[in-house]
Amino acid sequence: MSQPILRTDRITLVPLSDEHLEHEIELDADPEVMRYLTGRARSREEVEALHRERLAAADRVAGLGFWAGFVDGRFVGWWLLEAPTRADQGPVEGQAELGYRLLRRCWRQGLASEGARELLRYGFEDLGLTRVFAETMAVNAASRATMTAIGMQHVRTFHMDWEEPLPGRDLGEVEYAITREQWLAA
């Protein structure tokens, strides 16, 4: 199963492809967008390498991967639903990690949660996932609010070793999750 085009009231989510590279470069070039990820803007070369990795995510587990989001034909950001990649994230079977990254001009418009809700629907209804989780820095209040808004609950706070720790890393990372049963009940 390949990734489908997904739609919400405002957003069209299309499987990430090479035609979206310039949008990814614009997104990752904003240090505020990258504040809780790298603490700095990424170079074109870094984004080109990450673009190849993002495209490859669609090949690892059928139906999962990255989606570019558009509102009225304009790029607003990307969303992902991909298999766990670290041992501490649990088994790959039946679960996926949710993520999102939006252009700064698109913040605080409800787009992150709208796209994330559609990926939850797709993951639980179409793919039969049993659990979806998301992670962010504990200090990233906006992302945590989005996770809560879509019905996810705090599961754990954990600490990772980082070569270049960002301010706030001492408070750790947080994992939020929602199961299929919780999603159906909501």
Side-chain angles (χ1 to χ4, degrees):
M1 170 185 205
S2 61
Q3 292 172 259
I5 294 174
L6 303 171
R7 290 183 174 79
T8 71
D9 288 342
R10 298 183 291 171
I11 307 167
T12 301
L13 296 164
V14 298
L16 191 70
S17 69
D18 284 333
E19 70 187 60
H20 304 125
L21 176 60
E22 292 305 317
H23 297 307
E24 292 173 82
I25 290 168
E26 175 189 10
L27 186 60
D28 286 10
D30 184 337
E32 276 303 300
V33 169
M34 302 305 293
R35 179 178 179 189
Y36 298 114
L37 300 163
T38 62
R40 62 171 178 78
R42 284 192 172 128
S43 70
R44 177 180 205 53
E45 294 74 25
E46 288 173 307
V47 178
E48 287 173 350
L50 286 168
H51 172 73
R52 288 188 293 279
E53 291 177 28
R54 291 171 183 156
L55 292 177
D59 296 331
R60 287 192 284 274
V61 176
L64 299 183
F66 283 73
W67 282 262
F70 295 87
V71 172
D72 297 326
R74 293 183 58 209
F75 178 78
V76 296
W78 58 247
W79 284 257
L80 75 89
L81 200 57
E82 73 174 331
T85 57
R86 297 189 325 264
D88 69 306
Q89 293 174 322
V92 172
E93 187 68 32
Q95 75 166 340
E97 180 175 8
L98 172 72
Y100 37 82
R101 187 175 305 164
L102 276 70
L103 294 169
R104 191 179 343 173
R105 68 177 173 265
C106 301
W107 291 358
R108 294 175 186 81
Q109 297 175 31
L111 295 171
S113 57
E114 186 174 328
R117 278 188 191 96
E118 176 57 16
L119 283 182
L120 288 178
R121 185 213 58 77
Y122 166 69
F124 291 133
E125 285 185 5
D126 299 349
L127 298 179
L129 295 176
T130 56
R131 181 178 185 268
V132 175
F133 69 94
E135 296 177 349
T136 191
M137 285 181 66
V139 296
N140 189 346
S143 190
R144 291 178 74 163
T146 297
M147 294 172 193
T148 300
I150 63 171
M152 294 181 132
Q153 298 174 4
H154 180 264
V155 174
R156 67 183 176 129
T157 300
F158 60 101
H159 292 81
M160 296 182 62
D161 291 326
W162 298 98
E163 289 180 26
E164 299 176 32
L166 300 176
R169 282 283 186 216
D170 55 317
L171 299 175
E173 303 281 326
V174 291
E175 177 183 327
Y176 280 64
I178 187 169
T179 65
R180 184 176 184 350
E181 291 76 25
Q182 291 168 327
W183 180 77
L184 287 170

